[in-house]
């Protein structure tokens, strides 16, 4: 005869995997990158639309260095440039240095 207890040993892990997968799919663990600038002097600078920890109107950005280290900071648009505030430096990057990602094009977002 079929008993539910005999299936319990595999139902619990399957149920847990489904719940975890659903939670991860519904959560945005990292902010979506909208614009990217690479090369000198910024290495790889990624601008997002998240505000996590950045005072308004600033938003979260990530700066990847040539040695593979990534630093998190804040960015804000100022006239023809983007001012980036990182833990150990602040710099201004011309808007023309950035290119939109596919996500920015999908959302029809621009730095202009």
């Amino acid at each position: 005869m079929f008993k539910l207890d005999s299936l319990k040993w595999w139902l619990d892990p399957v149920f847990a995997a489904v719940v975890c997968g659903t939670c991860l799919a519904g959560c945005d663990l990292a902010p979506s990158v909208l614009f990217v600038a690479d090369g000198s002097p910024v290495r790889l600078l990624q601008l997002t639309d998240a505000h996590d920890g950045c005072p308004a109107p600033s938003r979260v950005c990530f700066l990847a260095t040539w040695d593979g280290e990534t630093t998190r900071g804040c960015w804000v648009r100022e006239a023809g440039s983007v001012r980036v505030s990182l833990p150990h430096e602040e710099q201004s990057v011309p808007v023309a240095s950035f290119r939109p990602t596919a996500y920015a094009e999908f959302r029809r977002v621009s730095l202009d």
Side-chain angles (χ1 to χ4, degrees):
M1 173 146 236
F2 180 75
K3 293 183 181 180
L4 186 58
D5 288 340
S6 65
L7 297 176
K8 188 175 182 179
W9 66 270
W10 69 270
L11 281 178
D12 287 341
V14 169
F15 179 73
V18 169
V19 169
C20 288
T22 304
C23 288
L24 289 176
C27 298
D28 189 9
L29 300 177
S32 298
V33 175
L34 296 172
F35 302 96
V36 177
D38 54 0
S40 183
V42 295
R43 288 135 350 240
L44 179 62
L45 180 59
Q46 302 173 332
L47 306 182
T48 73
D49 59 352
H51 290 285
D52 303 333
C54 294
S58 296
R59 297 171 191 253
V60 176
C61 67
F62 299 99
L63 177 68
T65 61
W66 294 112
D67 60 4
E69 183 180 324
T70 301
T71 305
R72 182 181 172 140
C74 299
W75 72 275
V76 66
R77 170 77 194 273
E78 293 182 336
S81 64
V82 172
R83 184 171 44 90
V84 178
S85 300
L86 300 165
H88 301 293
E89 66 181 298
E90 190 166 312
Q91 57 183 302
S92 186
V93 181
V95 170
S97 298
F98 291 92
R99 67 181 187 281
T101 62
Y103 181 64
E105 291 174 354
F106 172 76
R107 289 190 46 204
R108 296 185 177 140
V109 179
S110 71
L111 278 174
D112 297 331

